[in-house]
Amino acid sequence: MNNLQQSSATAARQSEEATPTSMRVKKRNGNFEAVDINKIVKAIARCCYGLKSVDALRIATKTISGLYDGATTQELDKLSIQTAASLIFEEPEYSRLAARLLNNYIDKEVANQEIYSFSQSIAFGVKEGLIGERVAKFVIENSRKLNDAIEADRNDYFEFFGLRTVYDRYLLKNRTTRGVIESPQYCWMRVACGLSETPADAIRLYRLFSALEYIPS
């Protein structure tokens, strides 16, 4: 059994002893469902791989204690992120956990707008008037190579405060909903495309950005 499976199994066993709740949350489709601590613990435990000093059940129970009946699933996700972040100065590994939870939140926000690739993100940005003509043309002409070069697992390089800064200040947003329309990896690639003349150059620059070896500002 690997560390993730052990963490999930331990959290699941512990959550069976947790106090049940009758609160409900509002899902993205508008339906309501009862708050399920087991489900929350499992979602958090999936982000605990390699982190030996974090406690998924602790995050889940503290998250639920801050909820109210009828809260949205987005609010639940934000609370879990904030809860993990609040423990960083007690145990630094919570920074990695909070970053992973925030990355999941960003992925949901992007996917909720039916954006599933870098080129779709750019197309959405063009429609919103956020992307210049040169970058738009460059991405259209090289979309397959650029899409294939995205390495989503590099989001795991972030600590919480770094990812929070990227999310708050640098990711492009839907002008109407204010939801982000790109992931951190899409953002790195977008900047790389703006600074490159060929797809090969863009991919090389993207790999520097995404490895956090060189960060544009």
Side-chain angles (χ1 to χ4, degrees):
M1 181 179 288
N2 59 34
N3 290 337
L4 175 57
Q5 290 172 325
Q6 290 176 336
S7 175
S8 299
T10 300
R13 286 196 300 270
Q14 290 176 322
S15 66
E16 290 174 357
E17 302 172 1
T19 303
T21 175
S22 60
M23 287 192 300
R24 302 172 305 154
V25 289
K26 186 177 182 181
K27 299 168 66 176
R28 284 175 171 79
N29 62 12
N31 294 333
F32 286 87
E33 70 176 16
V35 173
D36 184 346
I37 191 170
N38 293 302
K39 186 175 180 180
I40 296 171
V41 171
K42 289 176 182 177
I44 295 170
R46 284 195 292 270
C47 294
C48 293
Y49 53 88
L51 306 178
K52 298 179 180 179
S53 300
V54 301
D55 185 339
L57 179 60
R58 183 182 182 189
I59 300 299
T61 53
K62 286 175 70 72
T63 296
I64 289 175
S65 70
L67 283 177
Y68 62 90
D69 187 41
T72 65
T73 52
Q74 291 97 318
E75 290 174 306
L76 188 157
D77 290 342
K78 286 181 179 179
L79 269 174
S80 67
I81 295 165
Q82 292 165 2
T83 300
S86 72
L87 298 174
I88 291 172
F89 295 105
E90 177 182 320
E91 168 49 60
E93 282 193 346
Y94 281 105
S95 178
R96 299 296 298 279
L97 176 57
R100 290 170 182 176
L101 293 170
L102 175 55
N103 182 61
N104 286 347
Y105 182 89
I106 293 170
D107 285 345
K108 290 177 185 177
E109 199 166 284
V110 173
N112 196 48
Q113 299 172 86
E114 299 186 354
I115 297 170
Y116 304 104
S117 68
F118 169 66
S119 59
Q120 287 180 330
S121 173
I122 292 297
F124 199 109
V126 170
K127 184 177 67 175
E128 292 285 297
L130 301 172
I131 302 292
E133 182 179 341
R134 192 193 77 81
V135 170
K137 184 173 183 292
F138 183 87
V139 173
I140 290 171
E141 292 175 349
N142 303 286
S143 60
R144 185 170 183 175
K145 290 180 180 179
L146 299 173
N147 287 339
D148 289 346
I150 295 294
E151 298 187 53
D153 59 351
R154 291 195 174 193
N155 286 327
D156 203 35
Y157 292 176
F158 282 104
E159 298 286 342
F160 174 69
F161 293 110
L163 183 56
R164 184 81 213 189
T165 299
V166 171
Y167 175 67
D168 287 340
R169 300 184 182 181
Y170 298 106
L171 300 186
L172 297 181
K173 294 179 174 62
N174 184 313
R175 290 182 182 273
T176 302
T177 67
R178 303 307 297 164
V180 296
I181 64 171
E182 59 181 2
S183 69
Q185 298 307 311
Y186 296 170
C187 176
W188 293 147
M189 183 63 86
R190 170 173 56 82
V191 175
C193 289
L195 297 172
S196 302
E197 296 297 329
T198 69
D201 287 342
I203 291 168
R204 279 194 291 268
L205 191 53
Y206 160 75
R207 287 174 178 159
L208 287 174
F209 293 162
S210 61
L212 306 186
E213 294 181 15
Y214 175 75
I215 304 299
S217 177

